């Protein structure tokens, strides 16, 4: 399998038109219920051993998607297939074997580890679930700790006795204890310091090779996600707006939003930082309750036209498995509105002209 | 012209149940009017404590402060509380990390700015209100006369941080201390806010101290950079010099461990082994010693923060001088540092290539 | 806002319905609860009893009896079993005393709790905090009637600072009204002052470490202003909601013990006497009257709450 191409073999995990909506009660008597589609019509596939990065800003639905994929949340529509079996609405009982194979690592290891249990106890749960004989559990725990780069002697310590980076390693060891095939990582390194972040990212890539794991790597940090992923999906207000092999996305972003995201990341280089035109898009994402007509990015998009207001663009392949949902992708003919120089205009403003290809 | 802010051997010690924490140890620097100083470091490096101590915000029964902080020639560190209060929010304003919690949730945002203005100036409520609306307009808040009457929870994170910036600017400060101002925000918002902040500071020649862990932001904003680690300054240099010619092993390792969008993807990120020192029991000598691949016997002594010693200076061929005012805290001589840095880079490239090949 | 009120009203009606049903049923099931026997007198003949049963409608099905009772409550024509007097006029007679007691005590305990709590929070860990903490804990654990009895004994019996008991209407003499109520106010307030000041102290100590307090300090505000405008205001929120419910309870006849100890002849005391006599009609009315007040004041507190904490919205 060539890295970055969507799976040609049978996918490990497949989501078809997945939707997760939350009711939001409004009005005085809380009678009028409106829905926020945190995940809206998302389809994706993941091959065994592959890493799919999911990137987007807060509120784009990436964490909700992660929760759907591990079935911590039940999708309200669409279907979710694990190794060909539909688990969209599987009962807790029939989910049990799947739960072992799909694990999750959370952003905040402090909150996701039981503070009253020792590291050994935390890891033993997964091992017992897997049916490891009691006599071998101790040995296995030591092995797990070594695997994630912790001292096996610390088996009797409590989570709070470790640093943030070490706690995240415990979180990873806990996920590994069930011997999963897929780990969904929800912002696994964003709470960590730069030097520790690199250690954990490397650890994850080592583990992936050693144990042939597949990852769904959810993050807001474009640099980290590029590093960790084979393919990347960019989310905006519940939708995947662009999906492509990792390198291609960074070399040739097609969606104006992706381009804006990339341009907004400060680069640790003086000349580049000074020379770059930084202001790319203005304003903030629309309210999820009052989505604009047509394309959701339209109000902030410098390339928006009447077509964008009328027709909601669908994901389409632009070659090399590079999918984008945009009427005016950046490699096509530009139809830029003529606008003056960009100035701060607050949310909803679409005045910026730096996006011309 | 005398510098706006001079900090001399600032020390902050916290007395805790576990013992004495030396959060900041001998930090000295000067900042000229209108300049941007970035203080970079990881958590526990002492960068935020340094920032808070400038305004006396770390004062408490369990805190021991020493050294001097001179703002406009006046010492603030030992100044009485009411003198300090005149500076806080007046000549020196602060922007905090988390805009979601830094504003009082039960007060209208306009009222919170009016409160600050009227603390420092004897003007009427309506005048202060007018100025507040003008400030909110200036930081890019739409319909400011309406939004000034809204409560913080009715604003998004980015908009709240704009409110904080408006409040900071309200009394014509000469220095703004921004403690991780965009860490809690999304990248597109961050980029807007930093643009705004930079422009406002340049417009009114306000000096800025930017506390951050984001090297990218530093590259974009700073005139000078101070790298802190374990409560000490390890390197202090003009920004160009620091990025061109980082001299402390920690700085160059830190710069390299940041995954970058502007370079080819590598198979493996360069890392710094181990974790930052405990400030309760810091290692003897250089704090970076336990994690430093180049440490040697002498590192058990604390190295001074100074211009690197150039061995070539005594008559031999000079291999290129370092920039003026480029200080670092390492016993290695200039030449050795540059050589080791080069070797380190080759090393990581080799590892990265090997990994990339292996993966393909 | 109007819709909010409507919704609250609807909720209130349901609450009141259940309260009335439960109260009514309780008196149906308690032993020795047959009112006809007591109404008819000690040496009543079966005929008299039967007449009483017929006259008061005790032979009707229970829901009819309930409906009759509720009907009389709404028309204000409830007659008590023991005295054969209109219950409403009895309650009206006791109301001034109860209102004087409740309102005075409510104000006292709120003000003192805020002062004591704030003082403790500001001087946390110091001598004054420890002393007040000790006193608060003592106050919380002291039953109202003990405080009342001790006050009576020392300040009215041994030293004649205050009158022994009874209630003097405000219209008769302001001074006497006040002197008669000082001890009842104190004995009713003590527990609440202790309780509320502890809650306020801990809320304030939490809020002092909030980011916005640090912001206020960085703005150059004086410690006093920070304390009053930023720390105290947000810390009052839990106190206000507690106060609303407790105050409603007291005004609705919950200060039974204090009224009895000081012989104030208020609504609470009337309730106590009715309980002793197993006199259902007055109790039904008093309970309903209390419930209406609790529901009403709870709604007012909700409105106050929105004013104090704009994050809470009536709508949405």
């Amino acid at each position: 399998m060539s890295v970055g191409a969507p799976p040609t073999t049978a996918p490990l995990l497949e989501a078809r038109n997945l939707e997760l909506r939350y009711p939001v009660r409004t009005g005085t008597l809380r009678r009028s219920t409106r829905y926020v589609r945190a995940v809206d019509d998302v389809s994706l596939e993941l091959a065994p051993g592959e890493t799919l990065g999911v990137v987007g800003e807060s509120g784009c639905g990436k964490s909700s998607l992660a929760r759907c994929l591990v079935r911590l949340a039940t999708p309200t529509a669409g279907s979710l297939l694990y190794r060909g079996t539909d688990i969209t609405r599987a009962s807790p009982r029939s989910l049990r074997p799947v739960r072992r194979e799909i694990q999750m690592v959370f952003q905040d290891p402090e909150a996701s580890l039981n503070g009253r249990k020792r590291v050994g106890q935390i890891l033993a749960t997964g091992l017992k679930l897997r049916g490891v004989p009691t006599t071998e559990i101790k040995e296995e725990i030591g092995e797990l700790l070594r695997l994630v780069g912790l001292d096996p002697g610390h088996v009797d310590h409590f989570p709070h006795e470790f640093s943030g980076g070490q706690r995240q390693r415990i979180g990873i060891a806990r996920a590994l204890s069930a011997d999963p095939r897929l780990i969904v990582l929800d912002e696994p390194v964003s709470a960590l310091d730069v030097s520790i972040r690199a250690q954990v990212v490397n650890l994850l890539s080592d583990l992936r090779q050693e144990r042939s794991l597949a990852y769904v790597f959810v993050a807001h940090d474009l640099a980290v996600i590029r590093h960790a992923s084979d393919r990347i999906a960019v989310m905006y207000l519940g939708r995947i707006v662009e999906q492509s092999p990792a390198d291609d996305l960074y070399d040739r972003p097609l969606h104006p939003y992706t381009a804006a995201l990339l341009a907004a990341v400060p680069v640790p280089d003086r000349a580049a930082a000074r020379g770059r035109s930084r202001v790319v898009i203005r304003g903030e994402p629309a309210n999820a309750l009052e989505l604009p007509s047509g394309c959701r990015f339209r109000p902030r998009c410098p390339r928006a036209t009447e077509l964008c207001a009328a027709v909601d663009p669908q994901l389409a392949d632009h070659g090399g498995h590079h999918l984008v949902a945009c009427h005016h992708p950046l490699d096509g003919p530009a139809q830029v509105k003529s606008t003056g120089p960009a100035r701060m205009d607050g949310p909803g403003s679409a005045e910026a002209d730096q996006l011309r290809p | 012209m005398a510098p706006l802010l001079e900090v001399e051997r600032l020390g902050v010690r916290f007395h805790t149940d576990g013992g004495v924490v030396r959060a900041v140890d001998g930090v000295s620097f000067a900042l000229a009017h209108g300049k941007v100083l970035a203080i970079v470091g990881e958590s526990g490096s002492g960068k935020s404590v340094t920032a808070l101590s400038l305004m006396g915000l770390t004062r408490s029964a369990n805190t021991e402060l020493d050294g001097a902080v001179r703002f406009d020639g006046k010492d603030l560190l030992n100044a009485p509380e009411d003198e300090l209060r005149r500076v806080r929010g007046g000549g020196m304003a602060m922007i905090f990390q988390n805009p979601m919690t830094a504003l009082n949730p039960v007060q209208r945002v306009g009222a919170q700015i009016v409160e600050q203005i009227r603390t420092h100036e004897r003007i009427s409520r309506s005048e202060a209100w007018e100025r507040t609306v003008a400030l909110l307009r200036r930081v890019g808040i739409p319909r400011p006369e309406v939004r000034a009457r809204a409560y913080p929870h009715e604003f998004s994170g980015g908009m709240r941080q704009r409110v904080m910036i408006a409040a900071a600017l309200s009394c014509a400060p000469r220095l703004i201390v921004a403690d991780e101002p965009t860490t809690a925000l999304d990248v597109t918002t961050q980029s807007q806010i930093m643009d705004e902040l930079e422009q406002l500071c340049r417009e009114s020649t306000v000096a800025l101290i930017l506390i951050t862990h984001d090297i990218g932001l530093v590259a974009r904003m700073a005139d000078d950079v101070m790298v802190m680690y374990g409560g000490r300054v390890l390197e202090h240099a003009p920004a160009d010099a620091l990025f061109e010619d980082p001299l402390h092993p920690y700085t160059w390792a830190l710069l390299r461990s940041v995954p970058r969008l502007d370079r080819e993807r590598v198979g493996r990120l360069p890392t710094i082994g181990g974790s930052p020192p405990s400030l309760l029991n810091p290692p003897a000598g250089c704090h970076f010693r336990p994690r430093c691949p180049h440490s040697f016997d002498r590192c058990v002594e604390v190295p001074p923060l100074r211009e690197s010693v150039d061995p070539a200076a005594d008559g031999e061929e000079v291999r290129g001088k370092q920039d003026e005012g480029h200080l670092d805290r390492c016993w290695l001589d200039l030449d050795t540092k540059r050589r080791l840095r080069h070797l380190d880079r080759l090393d990581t490239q080799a590892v990265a290539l090997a990994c990339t090949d292996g993966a393909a | 806002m109007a819709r909010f009120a409507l919704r609250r009203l609807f909720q209130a009606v349901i609450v009141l319905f259940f309260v009335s049903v439960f109260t009514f049923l309780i008196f149906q099931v308690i032993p020795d609860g047959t009112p006809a026997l007591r109404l008819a007198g000690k040496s009543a003949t079966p005929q008299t009893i039967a007449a009483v049963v017929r006259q008061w409608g005790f032979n009707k099905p229970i829901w009819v009896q309930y409906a009759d009772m509720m009907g009389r409550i709404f028309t204000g024509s409830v007659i008590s079993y023991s005295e054969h007097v209109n219950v409403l006029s009895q309650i009206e007679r006791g109301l001034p005393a109860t209102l004087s007691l409740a309102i005075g005590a409510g104000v006292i305990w709120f003000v003192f709790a805020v002062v004591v709590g704030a003082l403790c929070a500001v001087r946390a860990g110091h001598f004054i905090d420890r002393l007040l903490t000790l006193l608060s804990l003592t106050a919380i654990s002291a039953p109202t009637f003990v405080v009342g009895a001790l006050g009576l004994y020392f300040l009215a019996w041994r030293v004649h600072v205050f009158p022994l008991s009874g209630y003097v209407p405000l219209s008769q003499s302001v001074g006497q009204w006040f002197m008669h109520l000082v001890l009842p106010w104190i004995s009713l307030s003590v527990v609440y002052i202790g309780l509320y000041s502890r809650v306020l102290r801990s809320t304030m100590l939490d809020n002092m470490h909030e980011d916005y307090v640090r912001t206020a300090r960085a703005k150059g505000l004086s410690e006093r202003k920070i304390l009053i405008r930023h720390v105290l205001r947000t810390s009052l929120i839990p106190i206000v909601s507690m106060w609303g419910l407790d105050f409603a309870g007291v005004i609705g006849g919950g200060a039974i013990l204090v009224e009895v100890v000081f012989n104030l002849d208020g609504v609470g005391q009337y309730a106590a006497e009715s309980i002793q006599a197993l006199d259902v009609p007055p109790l039904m009315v008093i309970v309903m009257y209390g419930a209406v007040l609790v529901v009403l004041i709870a709604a007012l507190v909700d409105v106050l709450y929105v004013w104090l904490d704009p994050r809470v919205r009536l709508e949405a």
Side-chain angles (χ1 to χ4, degrees):
Chain A
M1 185 197 81
S2 72
V3 170
T8 44
T9 51
L12 183 67
L13 188 75
E14 194 182 349
R16 288 183 198 150
N17 313 96
L18 215 56
E19 181 200 83
L20 178 67
R21 41 173 216 186
Y22 298 110
V24 175
R25 285 164 191 276
T26 52
T28 342
L29 296 173
R30 304 190 179 209
R31 287 292 152 75
S32 51
T33 306
R34 287 199 283 174
Y35 291 93
V36 169
R37 285 191 177 79
V39 177
D40 191 1
D41 196 17
V42 167
S43 299
L44 49 86
E45 285 182 2
L46 185 72
E50 192 195 16
T51 299
L52 173 71
V54 177
V55 71
E57 298 185 280
S58 52
C60 74
K62 56 188 192 297
S63 287
S64 299
L65 177 64
R67 289 165 53 80
C68 278
L69 294 182
V70 297
R71 277 293 321 274
L72 275 177
T74 304
T76 43
S79 54
L80 185 65
L81 281 76
Y82 179 72
R83 291 163 78 192
T85 322
D86 191 326
I87 57 164
T88 324
R89 267 165 278 280
S91 66
R93 194 188 174 81
S94 56
L95 258 182
R96 217 172 285 158
V98 179
R99 283 237 191 274
R100 188 183 64 71
E101 294 189 16
I102 307 178
Q103 289 290 314
M104 187 152 176
V105 171
F106 299 89
Q107 169 172 4
D108 183 2
E110 202 158 346
S112 59
L113 295 174
N114 187 338
R116 262 168 279 165
K117 281 191 174 174
R118 294 170 201 279
V119 172
Q121 292 171 294
I122 292 172
L123 299 184
T125 319
L127 294 172
K128 280 181 200 153
L129 217 66
R130 214 172 90 196
V132 174
T134 328
T135 45
E136 288 168 30
I137 279 185
K138 208 171 166 193
E139 203 178 317
E140 279 281 325
I141 289 173
E143 191 53 44
L144 276 173
L145 288 175
R146 247 190 306 278
L147 196 63
V148 297
L150 291 173
D151 180 358
H154 288 165
V155 63
D156 283 330
H157 287 210
F158 288 99
H160 69 86
E161 295 175 73
F162 294 88
S163 69
Q166 289 172 322
R167 272 200 291 260
Q168 196 54 293
R169 286 169 190 268
I170 298 171
I172 293 167
R174 188 197 53 76
L176 288 174
S177 68
D179 194 23
R181 285 159 174 260
L182 165 64
I183 302 183
V184 175
L185 306 141
D186 189 5
E187 300 270 11
V189 297
S190 20
L192 307 177
D193 271 320
V194 186
S195 72
I196 307 298
R197 199 176 287 181
Q199 291 175 7
V200 174
V201 170
N202 284 345
L203 169 70
L204 287 169
S205 80
D206 291 348
L207 289 171
R208 177 186 159 190
Q209 278 176 7
E210 269 171 49
R211 303 213 150 191
S212 53
L213 291 164
Y215 291 145
V216 174
F217 197 111
V218 176
H220 69 278
D221 185 327
L222 287 137
V224 165
I225 212 149
R226 171 197 191 203
H227 200 84
S229 316
D230 300 322
R231 274 189 306 136
I232 293 173
V234 181
M235 286 187 77
Y236 188 77
L237 285 174
R239 287 272 175 91
I240 291 181
V241 294
E242 185 163 4
Q243 187 179 321
S244 117
D247 286 327
D248 201 23
L249 186 88
Y250 291 83
D251 295 342
R252 191 171 62 105
L254 293 182
H255 200 287
Y257 176 63
T258 312
L261 268 184
L262 288 173
V265 178
V267 172
D269 182 290
R270 283 295 268 183
R274 290 268 151 109
R276 253 146 59 103
S277 70
R278 303 171 210 125
V279 180
V280 182
I281 47 168
R282 286 306 191 184
E284 293 168 6
N287 182 346
L289 272 173
E290 287 150 25
L291 290 175
S293 70
C295 174
R296 290 159 194 215
F297 185 58
R298 175 174 60 81
R300 300 171 77 190
C301 184
R303 300 167 72 92
T305 59
E306 280 155 31
L307 176 65
C308 304
V311 182
D312 194 0
Q314 299 299 309
L315 274 178
D317 197 334
H318 280 242
H321 308 289
H322 196 144
L323 278 60
V324 65
C326 179
H327 293 303
H328 310 293
L330 291 167
D331 66 344
Q335 296 180 341
V336 183
K337 289 191 294 188
S338 64
T339 48
R343 238 325 269 170
M344 186 61 72
D345 271 297
S349 156
E351 288 184 61
D353 63 351
Q354 277 90 339
L355 265 186
R356 261 174 226 154
Chain B
M1 196 156 96
L4 175 68
L5 179 76
E6 266 182 295
V7 176
E8 256 174 58
R9 287 191 298 281
L10 175 70
V12 183
R13 268 176 289 191
F14 296 122
H15 295 268
T16 66
D17 294 338
V20 179
V21 173
R22 267 197 105 99
V24 176
D25 186 5
V27 169
S28 303
F29 64 90
L31 181 63
H33 289 269
K35 291 287 180 190
V36 179
L37 169 73
I39 305 183
V40 201
E42 302 180 73
S43 42
S45 63
K47 57 188 194 302
S48 286
V49 177
T50 304
L52 290 169
S53 302
L54 298 180
M55 282 191 180
L57 290 174
T58 49
R59 283 183 178 189
S60 88
N62 305 321
T63 314
E64 207 180 311
L65 293 153
D66 54 70
V69 173
R70 271 190 296 278
F71 183 65
D72 259 352
K74 265 184 285 184
D75 184 27
L76 295 184
L77 206 61
N78 305 303
E81 192 69 15
D82 53 340
E83 205 170 295
L84 208 51
R85 270 206 299 274
R86 277 196 288 278
V87 175
R88 286 181 192 152
M92 198 194 289
M94 189 140 185
I95 299 169
F96 293 101
Q97 171 171 3
N98 195 343
M100 305 318 258
T101 54
L103 289 163
N104 188 334
V106 303
Q107 252 185 31
R108 294 173 203 279
V109 298
Q112 301 191 42
I113 299 176
V114 166
E115 185 183 38
Q116 178 169 357
I117 297 172
R118 283 170 47 92
T119 303
H120 294 281
E121 293 170 39
R122 291 178 157 272
I123 60 174
S124 73
R125 199 168 287 274
S126 61
E127 270 177 279
W129 185 262
E130 267 167 44
R131 195 199 292 181
T132 298
V133 170
L135 281 163
L136 291 176
R137 181 174 292 120
R138 202 167 143 210
V139 297
I141 289 179
R143 295 183 301 133
E145 52 294 311
V146 181
R147 299 299 278 158
R149 292 184 198 283
Y151 290 97
H153 69 272
E154 297 169 279
F155 287 80
S156 68
M159 286 293 152
R160 284 189 218 189
Q161 201 57 303
R162 286 170 199 268
V163 172
M164 288 299 289
I165 293 174
L169 290 169
S170 66
C171 299
R174 272 152 298 156
L175 170 64
I176 291 181
V177 181
D179 187 3
E180 303 262 12
T182 55
T183 306
L185 305 176
D186 280 325
V187 276
T188 55
T189 316
Q190 160 175 306
S191 148
Q192 295 173 36
I193 297 276
M194 287 321 287
D195 273 350
E196 239 3 58
L197 191 59
E198 192 177 16
Q199 199 186 344
L200 291 166
C201 285
R202 301 248 185 253
E203 264 171 24
S204 21
T205 54
V206 180
L208 178 69
I209 294 181
L210 176 67
I211 315 287
T212 183
H213 68 274
D214 187 334
I215 313 280
L217 269 188
V218 176
R220 212 182 104 176
M221 306 273 297
D223 296 313
D224 281 298
V225 185
M226 222 161 78
V227 180
M228 287 190 72
Y229 185 81
R232 291 190 190 135
V233 177
L234 293 192
E235 188 158 0
H236 183 176
D240 286 323
L242 188 105
F243 282 94
E244 289 283 305
D245 188 19
L247 290 180
H248 197 285
Y250 173 66
T251 313
W252 77 59
L254 186 69
L255 286 176
R256 248 202 308 277
S257 65
V258 183
R260 298 179 59 157
L261 283 181
D262 58 333
R263 300 257 170 91
E264 280 294 299
R265 184 153 76 126
V266 292
R268 231 182 135 66
L269 286 172
T271 58
I272 311 174
S275 41
S278 143
L279 294 177
L280 268 174
N281 304 298
C286 173
H287 281 169
F288 188 56
R289 181 173 52 85
R291 301 175 79 186
C292 183
H294 310 299
S295 63
F296 61 114
D297 312 348
R298 206 166 173 195
C299 298
V300 290
E301 287 171 56
V302 181
L305 184 69
R306 56 170 184 182
E307 293 195 355
S308 281
V309 180
D310 190 347
D314 45 326
E316 289 179 50
E317 186 196 356
V318 179
R319 297 192 192 197
K321 200 91 178 93
Q322 76 206 57
D323 292 82
E324 208 169 305
H326 190 151
L327 311 173
D328 71 292
R329 199 187 274 279
C330 180
W331 287 117
L332 294 170
D333 62 56
L334 182 62
D335 228 28
T336 319
K337 280 177 203 163
R338 286 179 174 158
R339 208 159 29 87
L340 288 173
R341 189 178 68 208
H342 187 62
L343 287 175
D344 272 5
R345 180 153 61 218
L346 291 180
D347 240 22
T348 48
Q349 274 169 0
V351 172
L353 276 175
C355 287
T356 317
D357 287 348
Chain C
M1 189 63 209
R3 283 192 175 183
F4 170 76
L6 212 72
R7 185 162 140 238
R8 283 309 295 250
L9 194 70
F10 179 67
Q11 285 176 350
V13 169
I14 292 184
V15 168
L16 294 177
F17 171 72
F18 280 107
V19 167
S20 64
V21 168
F22 278 119
T23 318
F24 188 76
L25 286 180
I26 284 172
F27 288 100
Q28 294 295 318
V29 297
I30 53 169
D32 197 23
T34 327
L37 290 177
R38 268 171 291 122
L39 277 167
K42 274 187 183 146
S43 52
T45 60
Q47 284 81 359
T48 336
I49 291 175
V52 166
V53 164
R54 233 175 301 116
Q55 185 196 341
W56 289 81
F58 295 135
N59 54 346
K60 290 182 190 164
I62 191 162
W63 60 85
V64 179
Q65 287 191 44
Y66 170 79
D68 284 350
M69 173 72 82
M70 293 316 285
R72 282 200 295 275
I73 287 179
F74 276 109
T75 51
S77 56
V78 187
I79 304 296
S80 74
Y81 296 159
S82 47
E83 312 262 329
H84 300 275
V85 288
N86 189 309
V87 170
L88 222 56
S89 60
Q90 289 291 100
I91 290 177
E92 263 167 38
R93 211 166 53 84
L95 211 53
T98 299
L99 284 181
S100 303
L101 174 69
I103 293 172
V107 170
I108 289 173
W109 93 58
F110 190 83
V111 171
F112 275 83
V114 169
V115 170
V116 172
L119 200 62
C120 284
V122 175
R123 292 257 163 266
H126 290 259
F127 172 75
I128 186 86
D129 173 39
R130 290 182 192 188
L131 181 75
L132 288 173
T133 298
L134 190 74
L135 288 176
S136 299
L137 293 176
T138 317
I140 294 170
S141 34
T144 311
F145 57 89
V146 172
V147 178
L150 287 175
L152 266 182
Y153 179 71
F154 287 107
L155 295 174
W157 182 253
R158 298 289 293 266
V159 187
H160 302 283
V161 183
F162 298 111
L164 258 178
S165 68
Y167 171 76
V168 177
L170 191 58
S171 50
Q172 209 172 82
S173 154
V174 178
Q176 280 303 308
W177 171 82
F178 183 81
M179 290 309 275
H180 276 87
L181 279 169
V182 170
L183 280 180
W185 281 339
I186 293 172
S187 16
L188 190 57
S189 301
V190 160
V191 177
Y192 294 116
I193 294 173
L195 202 64
Y196 286 29
S197 63
R198 298 313 293 162
V199 174
L200 185 65
R201 176 186 182 271
S202 67
T203 323
M204 281 183 74
L205 286 178
D206 284 348
N207 285 345
M208 277 177 192
H209 294 108
E210 288 288 338
D211 281 356
Y212 59 80
V213 173
R214 189 179 59 180
T215 306
R217 202 161 281 132
K219 288 200 293 196
L221 262 61
S222 66
E223 288 301 313
R224 196 175 54 85
K225 278 188 182 160
I226 291 172
L227 200 74
I228 293 171
R229 286 196 208 161
H230 292 275
V231 180
L232 190 60
R233 170 144 180 224
T234 38
S235 309
L236 281 181
I237 296 168
I239 298 284
V240 166
S241 59
M242 283 169 70
W243 184 84
L245 292 178
D246 286 335
F247 178 70
V250 169
I251 216 171
I256 292 182
L257 286 173
V258 174
E259 288 193 13
V260 172
V261 168
F262 291 95
N263 192 25
L264 291 179
D265 210 7
V267 180
Q269 199 167 350
Y270 184 43
E273 284 159 8
S274 305
I275 291 174
Q276 277 172 354
L278 283 177
D279 197 349
V280 180
L283 283 170
M284 280 297 291
V285 178
I286 291 169
V287 167
M288 292 305 290
Y289 145 85
V292 167
L293 276 172
V294 169
V295 167
L296 206 71
I297 293 178
L300 284 177
V301 167
D302 275 358
V303 174
L304 196 62
Y305 215 97
V306 175
W307 175 75
L308 274 172
D309 189 351
R311 284 168 298 181
V312 180
R313 284 276 143 228
L314 292 181
E315 313 177 57

